[in-house]
Amino acid sequence: MNLIYGDTNAQIISRMGSNCKRYRIAANLTQQELADNAGVGIATVKNFENGKLRNVTLESLLRIMRAIGILEQIEGVLPELPLSPFEMEDIQKKLKGKQRQRVKH
């Protein structure tokens, strides 16, 4: 089992805020520039980075991630599941009736 399950939501959010700060610094942005680029308040950025913001909205998080250039990482939060064997079987059944035909010139 992953050790993160032993952490509280507040601990996870705090760690995300610390990571955000590191990304912001790597992007060479001040807190004010990040806030302006993300369209959030400076207090949101400061409190998130310092682990004091416990209920950052998903909207704000997405704005911040977009502003520091890591929005594609959101795909890791809820990645698309692979098709189940039952779904694959259904697709194969549907395709079976549609045999590929030769193209006539």
Side-chain angles (χ1 to χ4, degrees):
M1 180 178 280
N2 197 326
L3 296 178
I4 198 166
Y5 285 96
D7 293 346
T8 65
N9 289 348
Q11 289 171 319
I12 295 168
I13 294 169
S14 179
R15 206 166 34 252
M16 289 174 66
S18 296
N19 291 344
C20 176
K21 182 177 183 175
R22 293 174 55 212
Y23 278 108
R24 175 184 59 76
I25 292 168
N28 201 27
L29 295 171
T30 66
Q31 287 180 328
Q32 185 63 60
E33 289 170 332
L34 175 56
D36 292 343
N37 293 346
V40 299
I42 183 73
T44 298
V45 172
K46 285 183 178 183
N47 290 332
F48 181 49
E49 286 186 356
N50 294 327
K52 296 178 184 174
L53 184 64
R54 294 292 185 245
N55 59 351
V56 64
T57 66
L58 182 56
E59 176 78 21
S60 293
L61 182 60
L62 291 174
R63 288 172 175 255
I64 289 168
M65 290 178 74
R66 186 182 309 272
I68 56 178
I70 61 165
L71 186 59
E72 69 279 352
Q73 292 187 27
I74 198 68
E75 294 293 328
V77 174
L78 285 173
E80 190 172 322
L81 284 174
L83 295 175
S84 73
F86 296 113
E87 291 170 317
M88 289 295 292
E89 187 177 325
D90 285 344
I91 291 171
Q92 288 173 347
K93 284 179 184 176
K94 289 176 185 174
L95 292 176
K96 195 173 188 179
K98 298 180 181 182
Q99 293 295 326
R100 195 168 187 188
Q101 295 182 359
R102 192 172 198 174
V103 177
K104 295 179 184 179
H105 292 279

